Amino acid sequence: QVHLVESGGGSVQPGESLRLSCVYTSRPYCMGWFRQAPGKEREGIVRLFTHDGGAIWAEAVKGRFTISQDNAKKTLYLQMSSLAPGDTAMYYCAGDDSPCAGYIKDAKYQGQGTQVTVSS
């Protein structure tokens, strides 16, 4: 069974950065992040194929966010830069088994989330 635990959320001002972490018990075939703002539907951010590092990004964050993994620490990172109020949401780490054909926001394994608030 895969367990995911996120951390690193917080409150920042527009233009600042944050790095989210997701510690996993065993690495799924694909992993990624999605977010959900109050009153809005889940929005996929990125899906990473952990075996080859291939990533698929949402247009809303492309160029501002990056993803990386540290297999020794069993941790997935989401580096977020140039944050804006529109990025305010609960951020979730997610993972799925092969072939990972669906959306990351519907993935089999999901963490409890970490809150990111961007406000001046």
Side-chain angles (χ1 to χ4, degrees):
Q1 185 69 12
V2 175
H3 292 284
L4 307 172
V5 179
E6 306 94 333
S7 63
S11 295
V12 297
Q13 294 188 343
E16 294 186 338
S17 300
L18 270 179
R19 188 178 77 164
L20 306 183
S21 300
C22 172
V23 178
Y24 51 86
T25 52
S26 60
R27 191 180 70 177
Y29 184 77
C30 70
M31 296 187 73
W33 297 85
F34 67 90
R35 65 188 181 185
Q36 187 167 24
K40 295 187 177 181
E41 295 189 357
R42 293 182 171 190
E43 176 189 20
I45 296 172
V46 59
R47 182 174 64 185
L48 174 75
F49 291 92
T50 56
H51 60 290
D52 66 6
I56 301 173
W57 289 95
E59 286 297 323
V61 304
K62 194 178 291 185
R64 299 189 297 123
F65 292 9
T66 59
I67 193 170
S68 60
Q69 51 182 337
D70 185 330
N71 296 329
K73 295 182 178 180
K74 293 187 174 181
T75 303
L76 182 75
Y77 300 102
L78 181 68
Q79 179 68 49
M80 307 185 294
S81 302
S82 301
L83 285 164
D87 296 314
T88 295
M90 186 71 80
Y91 284 69
Y92 298 88
C93 178
D96 216 333
D97 301 321
S98 177
C100 290
Y103 294 109
I104 195 64
K105 63 184 177 71
D106 300 322
K108 180 178 181 180
Y109 310 111
Q110 300 183 7
Q112 294 302 305
T114 185
Q115 177 68 37
V116 172
T117 302
V118 185
S119 173
S120 55

